[in-house]
Amino acid sequence: MLKNFLAAILTLAAVSCSSDDPVEIGGTVPPPPGKEDVVREPKPKAMWFGGAVNFPVLSSQERVDKYLRQIKATGIDILYMDVMGPNNRALCNVETLKPYEEMTYDIFEYVLTKCDELDMQIIASLTPLCVGNPRTKAGPAFDSDRWDGKTQYRKVTKDGDIELIDIKDDATADAVMLEPSIPEVRQYCVDLCSEVVRNYSHHKSFRGLSLDYVRYSNGTDNASWFGYGDTFVKNFEARMGVSIKDQNDFITPDGGLGDFFKEWVYFRTLSISEVIRAISKAVKAVDPECEVHLWASADWDSRYSVGQNWASTSYDPYNDPAANDPNHSRYIDKYHETGFAEALDVFSLGAYSTAVWISENPGSIWSVENFVTTYQKYIPKNHSCKVWGSIASYAYPTSPDKLSDAITLCLKHTDGMSVFEFYHVNNMTQWSPIKKGITNSGY
């Protein structure tokens, strides 16, 4: 998702966020044709509101007022709002982070106040492991030496020699990200999330906290995965009770599986899960009613590469014949213990696919329909963690009916729905298809 924020920023100057669509408040969403006699309990309907790409809107209270009313009129009354803006600076008042230099007022406080008035709800979105921009060399990672050696590393092997690449120096990375196996990093994440909840949960519109990018950064291939720093290796050896020759024991120079590959996969995933669990426990201590959400890709099978196991601990890929793990090459027998669904109130299922229906992409998992109808293998029905289908509006720039269908599928097959993201919706004038999708679902 952060990658989409960055891409959108590049086009911000060329595309205006000043839609003059009429705004109407009030009324109820009519039932779908022929379904007037069906009474359904409404499901949550949310929209993401990015802090970086939408800063020109957020910097104007008048624009905030206008677009909150526009969102409400469309049938959406929940916002996932970033409280971290450009270069991972704060768009709210917290001591843990520096404020964004161009912030002239407490943006998050203002949006909460307006949502109090409009009977809307806010879920504060945070990327606690992200501490800067590797291209601009700006952000907390560059403010002091606090995070030196505590960011994520990948490796390059040349002629048998290993070179470690700090993500701070990797311009291909989406963001500078901290190494989650380090206790100080975990405590920083806990402190940041707890402070946001402590400072703002008194608002009636404050519903919860959502986590994003709590994982290892993407590598372009097996050989460039992150999770190789010297501190990481020491933590790995201590926790797993093993000694390694060098980082090639994880992944070989040619991208093959090293002797400790599946233990490495487990430890990375465990480190991420322990950060999420620590945040959830701390947030609930501050406000037991505060919901804890997390977004991740709906493609569970891809998550082992970035250390995210969003499944329940009841799902065991080691003993699942259908798991894509020939000869137990990915998972050790206790990998299922890394599942973090039990730490969440809501999992935002990232069904970001250009194909909506299975028939559009036969033989592939990549369709919204497939993702929203198969997730219960990983998070069972009636689990304490609810699942909201999350779709990307930018995937349907010229297909309003596909956007409507994607929204309808999410609401019919999951516990709620969220649309990414306001910037794209507004610039592509997608308000009507969103409203149509909500109406057609009956929820």
Side-chain angles (χ1 to χ4, degrees):
M1 294 169 61
L2 186 61
K3 185 180 296 181
N4 298 318
F5 284 161
L6 298 172
I9 290 173
L10 299 177
T11 61
L12 188 60
V15 185
S16 171
C17 284
S18 58
S19 168
D20 292 321
D21 291 343
V23 177
E24 298 177 2
I25 299 292
T28 58
V29 177
K35 299 292 184 180
E36 290 81 359
D37 58 336
V38 177
V39 178
R40 293 187 174 94
E41 187 72 22
K43 293 183 178 181
K45 295 170 279 289
M47 179 177 289
W48 294 87
F49 205 110
V53 68
N54 290 302
F55 185 76
V57 170
L58 293 169
S59 62
S60 163
Q61 294 182 358
E62 292 75 18
R63 280 191 162 189
V64 169
D65 294 354
K66 173 184 176 179
Y67 288 117
L68 287 180
R69 293 173 64 85
Q70 177 70 71
I71 293 167
K72 174 81 172 182
T74 306
I76 291 172
D77 57 8
I78 301 172
L79 284 184
Y80 282 104
M81 181 180 166
D82 285 351
V83 295
M84 293 167 70
N87 300 322
N88 304 119
R89 303 296 193 192
L91 297 180
C92 59
N93 287 326
V94 289
E95 294 181 1
T96 313
L97 280 179
K98 287 185 178 180
Y100 179 51
E101 293 84 350
E102 296 183 27
M103 188 176 76
T104 58
Y105 69 103
D106 186 335
I107 291 174
F108 191 52
E109 173 75 29
Y110 184 79
V111 175
L112 281 165
T113 300
K114 299 307 293 186
C115 285
D116 289 345
E117 298 173 6
L118 292 172
D119 198 25
M120 297 177 70
Q121 294 181 318
I122 294 286
I123 300 164
S125 178
L126 280 161
T127 55
L129 286 180
C130 297
V131 288
N133 185 325
R135 289 167 294 283
T136 62
K137 301 293 184 181
F142 302 97
D143 291 341
S144 69
D145 61 1
R146 177 182 182 183
W147 299 122
D148 289 358
K150 298 170 185 174
T151 49
Q152 295 180 21
Y153 285 76
R154 63 180 177 88
K155 74 175 174 70
V156 176
T157 307
K158 297 178 179 179
D159 300 324
D161 294 328
I162 295 173
E163 178 185 355
L164 297 179
I165 309 296
D166 189 337
I167 198 170
K168 290 169 63 175
D169 302 317
D170 189 346
T172 67
D174 291 339
V176 178
M177 297 177 68
L178 296 172
E179 168 53 56
S181 70
I182 299 174
E184 183 186 350
V185 167
R186 184 181 308 164
Q187 189 60 51
Y188 165 77
C189 294
V190 165
D191 291 345
L192 174 58
C193 294
S194 299
E195 187 180 5
V196 170
V197 175
R198 188 178 301 111
N199 288 0
Y200 296 101
S201 63
H202 63 278
H203 282 274
K204 71 173 185 177
S205 57
F206 187 93
R207 177 168 178 151
L209 187 81
S210 181
L211 305 173
D212 193 11
Y213 267 63
V214 184
R215 57 175 176 78
Y216 282 89
S217 186
N218 294 78
T220 54
D221 53 44
N222 284 4
S224 62
W225 287 8
F226 284 82
Y228 285 99
D230 291 337
T231 301
F232 171 90
V233 170
K234 291 177 182 178
N235 292 340
F236 172 82
E237 291 180 322
R239 187 67 176 264
M240 302 304 293
V242 298
S243 296
I244 67 169
K245 298 187 298 295
D246 56 42
Q247 285 90 338
N248 290 333
D249 278 349
F250 302 144
I251 295 180
T252 64
D254 60 0
L257 308 186
D259 292 340
F260 289 101
F261 174 76
K262 58 186 177 182
E263 289 81 6
W264 181 67
V265 166
Y266 167 80
F267 178 71
R268 291 163 83 246
T269 308
L270 180 65
S271 298
I272 293 295
S273 296
E274 289 184 341
V275 169
I276 293 167
R277 292 166 185 165
I279 291 172
S280 179
K281 181 179 180 180
V283 164
K284 295 294 187 181
V286 174
D287 180 1
E289 300 301 315
C290 178
E291 293 182 351
V292 179
H293 296 220
L294 182 141
W295 184 97
S297 171
D299 180 13
W300 185 89
D301 192 54
S302 72
R303 298 297 84 197
Y304 79 101
S305 67
V306 294
Q308 280 183 322
N309 178 7
W310 51 258
S312 164
T313 55
S314 64
Y315 175 67
D316 183 0
Y318 188 83
N319 290 308
D320 179 6
N324 186 17
D325 186 25
N327 304 315
H328 296 306
S329 60
R330 291 184 181 177
Y331 309 113
I332 61 175
D333 59 359
K334 59 181 180 179
Y335 181 85
H336 68 96
E337 297 174 2
T338 67
F340 57 69
E342 281 75 15
L344 304 177
D345 294 290
V346 174
F347 173 58
S348 189
L349 181 80
Y352 286 17
S353 172
T354 56
V356 173
W357 300 98
I358 293 173
S359 59
E360 294 178 67
N361 200 11
S364 170
I365 65 168
W366 283 95
S367 68
V368 175
E369 182 185 16
N370 176 69
F371 285 135
V372 301
T373 57
T374 60
Y375 70 87
Q376 289 183 355
K377 174 180 180 179
Y378 307 103
I379 300 179
K381 188 176 182 180
N382 298 322
H383 194 279
S384 59
C385 176
K386 303 305 179 184
V387 176
W388 295 4
S390 176
I391 56 101
S393 69
Y394 62 78
Y396 319 108
T398 59
S399 304
D401 287 343
K402 291 182 68 172
L403 175 57
S404 297
D405 289 346
I407 287 171
T408 299
L409 281 168
C410 288
L411 286 169
K412 283 188 173 181
H413 295 288
T414 74
D415 302 304
M417 179 277 296
S418 62
V419 179
F420 185 87
E421 187 272 350
F422 168 81
Y423 176 89
H424 304 287
V425 169
N426 197 51
N427 287 328
M428 292 187 284
T429 319
Q430 293 177 318
W431 301 105
S432 293
I434 290 174
K435 190 167 187 176
K436 179 181 176 182
I438 293 172
T439 301
N440 288 347
S441 75
Y443 292 101

